[in-house]
């Protein structure tokens, strides 16, 4: 189509991330081709057992158990199997064959990142692994590229959603450690072996990767100092709370000068107190965030989902598009070109919820009249709250706060005009839109 | 040095961002060369009046008033003059000459982005402007590259620090609109013409840029619906607060289907209610943040400084390094290679503040003994609070919460050992590090 040439993509693994990645490649094919200037052709999906993937809604003919053969002749290999072997061997095979590689495999990168990076560098191939840290959150690319002219001094990451969920429950609902852990387990937030999360092993792998990218230095995972959250008590959480802090499990990478003057790097994981007004304190539930301090840029934070099939696949696709573009330099689909050209819609078409504040006569029938007026214009009230109007002195005036359901801006504007004209209404004192809900 | 070839960088403008950009290029020369694989050679800095830059600490011979001549022969042009002309003409000249261009000029990109992008595309040059939106925060690159395989559905940005500062004062300190505005003005947070901030013109320029990048569509700045914060009252802020909301001025770019089924884009700026537990609600003072909703990635947020010379220069340098790398593909200094190789320091070298909780005998001399013990190990107490120990029933036990100043981990560990061994101490109930402070 459109004369685009094909780039052969080999997908290794078809768990939740793999299946979502395949789906995005197939469903967004035309759009990706326009952005890349070449078509991503899914050459196959290597799995251990094809029958086990019977329920996955992907074309059957894509599945194969012969990963090695699939890797041969691929332009880009996407490794989403997890674990060390055979992932490591297949990635080396791909790189040695000149293919670019995208992986989400944090354990592998934490253990063998330098070996794999060297292999890529030797043949001029690209190895990228944005999805290995904090899933959907773009953090490695900003650290590597956006801050390439700056000096990163410290990285503080909430990079394990399970432990953040547990600590958040203890903080917000007063759960005991045991209760919070049980709920997290029931919701499937904990790995099969919960010590990977709770003892900070998972966070340590991410600390290794963050430190190596932030400081251009090989940081072995066994050099990461590690304390988990197993010993954090409800009493500690409560004491932190009353002192204006919250306890978060942090993966920390830091430039440091030792007591005898050696300039070096520290990577560590432990639960720490964070002030309530620090941006990391507002990272609730299973979310992830990485807070970066740099000499010139100051404080930055990157926030989002740290797990999930689709979320992780989004980061994999970002790396995949970037790798694919390297094959098409100078071709069509130059990054940032305006290929969609959608129409600009007027604000009247916007749909959002509203909060309207009114001053009204405090007499029977007012509420009914106003509710009727809203309904007439297709605006539905979600809540109505009546308070005494400021300065009313009980003289028959009341203040109403109306929260609406989602409504069209044009309908709302007509409603507000009608409210202003209504005999029941003394004044429309505030109209504000409500944003930030899904 | 090291056989790197030179890339000629022409800098246009030497205000606070320009001076910081020049400083970083000169001071980080070796490091940048290693990252790029070529040396950034600052060919000159074009200014209107060389004498006016007498106090800027940069080599005098770099300054010139002949911008056109400086642009000729440059490999990369960095435009930090601001305003439309002569910036636009010089950028077009640079692009037509085949140079890559980096700019922080939001007014120019909002007004002439498509024209300049087209000019760049025609000659295969790169035009980048990360610093034009939210200064130090990497947002355009993540939108363009990290989310290249995803569908962005909505972008909500706090992209004007001055108005966020004003609204934040009204929310947190109960300031009137006039008082908050006066303080912002006294602190130099407002532009010379405050209507650019207060009426949302500045935010509208950024909404244009965000919408065009998120949706690959040309969004003229005069198509952006715009309401400022001039009419926001203390009463509205107070009412929002008591209802669990905070008012923020948002720049919004959204994919939208109109009531008659047209798929399009909306870009708008207005003050809106945000729930207190939304990540944007925790963006205080003059900070900026951009919240992104994407189909696969879910919710992401990018947070940081939205203004400042060094902060903006960090983003300029990121673009500059990226442009420079295009000149050196295949050369040394491949992105992500480990060229620093700093030593990994043990956790004992880490310096941080601590909170130590103790159960002690409630008798005279205990505090003095414990303070002495801390001092002995080089740990200095910042605060000591005494409470009744839980379950003590007044039987002569007290609980102490000690906050320390910055201390070395090794000293702290020795202190805790000594506390455990002390006769005064019944139990060390909690030792937590305090992170997230500068």
């Amino acid at each position: 189509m459109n004369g685009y040439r094909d780039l052969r993509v080999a997908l290794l693994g078809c768990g939740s991330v793999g299946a979502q990645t395949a789906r995005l490649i197939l469903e967004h094919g035309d759009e990706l081709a326009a952005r890349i200037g070449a078509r991503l052709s899914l050459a196959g999906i290597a799995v251990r057992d094809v029958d086990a993937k019977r329920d996955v809604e992907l074309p059957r003919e894509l599945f194969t158990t012969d990963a090695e053969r699939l890797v041969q002749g691929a332009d880009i290999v996407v490794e989403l199997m997890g674990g060390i072997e055979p992932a490591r061997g297949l990635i080396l095979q791909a790189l040695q064959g000149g293919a670019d590689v995208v992986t989400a495999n944090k354990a592998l990168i934490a253990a063998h990142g330098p070996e794999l990076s060297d292999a890529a560098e030797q043949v001029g191939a690209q190895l990228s692994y944005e999805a290995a840290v904090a899933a959907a959150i773009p953090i490695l690319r900003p650290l590597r590229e956006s801050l390439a002219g700056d000096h990163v001094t410290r990285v503080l990451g909430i990079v394990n959603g399970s432990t953040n969920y547990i600590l958040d429950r203890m903080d917000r609902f007063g759960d005991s450690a045991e209760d919070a852990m049980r709920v997290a387990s029931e919701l499937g937030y904990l790995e099969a072996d919960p010590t990977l999360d709770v003892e900070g092993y998972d966070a340590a792998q991410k600390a290794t990767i963050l430190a190596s990218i932030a400081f251009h230095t090989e940081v072995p995972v066994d050099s990461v100092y590690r304390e988990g959250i197993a010993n954090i008590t409800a009493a500690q959480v409560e004491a932190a709370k009353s002192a204006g802090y919250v306890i978060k499990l942090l993966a920390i990478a830091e430039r440091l000068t030792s007591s005898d003057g050696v300039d070096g790097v520290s990577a560590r994981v432990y639960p720490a107190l964070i002030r309530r007004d620090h941006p990391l304190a507002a990272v609730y539930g299973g979310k992830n965030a990485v807070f970066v301090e740099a000499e010139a840029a100051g404080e930055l934070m990157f926030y989002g989902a740290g797990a999930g099939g689709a979320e992780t696949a989004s980061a994999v696709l970002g790396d995949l598009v970037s790798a694919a573009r390297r094959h098409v330099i100078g071709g069509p689909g130059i990054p940032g070109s305006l290929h969609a050209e959608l129409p600009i819609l007027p604000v009247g078409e916007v749909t959002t919820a509203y909060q309207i504040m009114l001053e009204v006569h405090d007499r029977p029938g007012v509420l009914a009249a106003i509710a009727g007026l809203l309904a007439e214009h297709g605006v539905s009230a979600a809540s109505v709250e009546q308070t005494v109007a400021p300065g009313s002195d009980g003289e028959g005036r009341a203040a109403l706060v109306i929260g609406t359901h989602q409504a069209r801006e044009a309908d709302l504007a007509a409603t507000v005009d009608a409210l202003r004209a209504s005999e029941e209404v003394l004044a429309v004192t505030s109209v504000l839109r409500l944003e930030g809900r899904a």
Side-chain angles (χ1 to χ4, degrees), chain A residues 340-395:
Chain A
E341 297 300 357
L342 294 162
I344 315 298
L345 298 176
V347 74
E349 296 291 350
V350 169
T351 293
T352 181
Y354 299 84
Q355 186 204 61
I356 308 168
M357 292 166 68
L358 304 174
E359 222 174 286
V360 296
H361 290 291
D362 191 7
R363 59 191 183 201
V366 166
L367 272 185
I370 286 169
L373 195 149
L374 261 66
E376 218 172 280
H377 292 88
V379 174
S380 149
S383 66
V384 180
E385 206 183 319
Q386 178 164 352
T387 60
V388 178
S392 74
D393 303 328
E395 290 172 13

Side-chain angles (χ1 to χ4, degrees), chain A residues 105-126:
Chain A
N105 191 331
K106 59 178 179 279
L108 178 63
I109 294 297
H112 296 282
E115 176 197 11
L116 298 174
S117 293
D118 284 352
E121 203 166 333
Q122 273 170 27
V123 296
Q126 185 167 301

Side-chain angles (χ1 to χ4, degrees), chain A residues 5 17 35 44 55 78 101 110 114 125 135 149 156 165 183 203 211 220 223 263 279 281 297 319 338 371 383:
Chain A
R5 75 181 171 94
V17 180
R35 290 190 192 177
D55 298 335
V78 179
V101 172
L156 303 175
Y165 180 82
V183 176
S223 74
D263 195 29
D319 278 352
L338 306 170
S383 66

Side-chain angles (χ1 to χ4, degrees), chain A residues 39 72 80 94 210 218 309 312 424:
Chain A
R39 180 163 279 276
Q72 284 164 27
L80 302 170
L210 287 169
E218 184 175 338
T312 310
E424 312 292 347

Side-chain angles (χ1 to χ4, degrees), chain A residues 29-358:
Chain A
D30 291 347
E31 204 173 322
L32 289 168
R35 290 190 192 177
I36 295 164
R39 180 163 279 276
L40 296 180
S41 157
L42 191 52
I45 307 173
V47 295
R48 249 177 312 191
D49 178 358
V50 173
D51 284 340
K53 301 295 168 187
R54 212 173 296 127
D55 298 335
V56 180
E57 288 186 15
L58 290 168
R60 313 311 309 158
E61 66 273 18
L62 288 175
F63 290 105
T64 171
T65 54
D66 192 345
E68 284 186 33
R69 187 157 162 209
L70 182 61
V71 164
Q72 284 164 27
D75 296 301
I76 305 170
V77 173
V78 179
E79 185 276 306
L80 302 170
M81 322 169 82
I84 303 299
E85 293 294 356
R88 175 180 156 276
L90 289 165
I91 289 177
L92 285 172
Q93 182 201 332
L95 292 170
Q96 280 149 11
D100 293 326
V101 172
V102 176
T103 175
N105 191 331
K106 59 178 179 279
L108 178 63
I109 294 297
H112 296 282
E115 176 197 11
L116 298 174
S117 293
D118 284 352
E121 203 166 333
Q122 273 170 27
V123 296
Q126 185 167 301
L127 170 71
S128 42
Y129 42 88
E130 180 65 75
V133 179
I137 308 174
I139 176 62
L140 302 187
R141 188 190 304 271
L143 274 178
R144 189 175 269 179
E145 300 183 17
S146 306
L147 292 168
D150 204 340
H151 279 171
V152 174
T153 51
R154 182 152 49 170
V155 179
L156 303 175
I158 295 173
V159 290
N160 181 274
S162 320
T163 48
N164 200 56
Y165 180 82
I166 291 167
L167 292 172
D168 190 33
R169 278 199 72 91
M170 293 173 73
D171 180 66
R172 290 208 287 177
F173 308 119
D175 278 16
S176 69
E178 298 69 34
D179 285 351
M181 197 98 70
R182 206 195 51 245
V183 176
S185 177
E186 281 169 12
L187 291 172
Y189 277 23
L190 288 168
E191 305 256 2
D193 175 3
T195 56
L196 288 178
D197 295 318
V198 172
E199 299 293 347
Y201 290 99
D202 174 79
Q205 290 176 341
K206 291 156 178 171
T208 290
I209 300 174
L210 287 169
S212 67
I213 299 234
F215 305 124
H216 311 277
T217 288
E218 184 175 338
V219 180
V221 70
D222 56 14
S223 74
V224 178
Y225 175 81
R226 185 183 47 73
E227 284 177 31
I229 64 161
N231 297 323
I232 296 294
T233 62
Q236 283 178 306
V237 172
E238 190 51 42
K241 195 169 185 169
S242 65
Y245 297 108
V246 58
I247 299 178
K248 296 288 188 188
L249 181 68
L250 298 181
I252 303 176
E254 191 177 15
R255 282 293 294 266
L256 208 64
T257 304
S258 76
S259 48
D260 47 357
V262 177
D263 195 29
V265 167
S266 157
R268 54 195 196 268
V269 170
Y270 48 58
L273 298 168
I274 291 278
R275 275 169 46 164
R276 287 262 161 201
D277 60 357
H278 190 282
L280 283 172
V283 178
Y284 305 116
K287 293 285 189 178
N288 279 197
V290 181
F291 191 83
V292 177
E293 297 171 26
E295 271 177 23
E299 299 180 344
L300 301 170
M301 190 172 81
F302 304 81
Y303 164 96
E311 293 83 350
T312 310
S314 172
V316 169
L317 259 285
D319 278 352
L320 178 55
V321 169
S322 160
R325 275 180 182 152
R326 294 179 67 233
H327 291 261
V328 207
I329 285 169
I334 286 177
S337 64
L338 306 170
H339 56 73
E341 297 300 357
L342 294 162
I344 315 298
L345 298 176
V347 74
E349 296 291 350
V350 169
T351 293
T352 181
Y354 299 84
Q355 186 204 61
I356 308 168
M357 292 166 68
L358 304 174

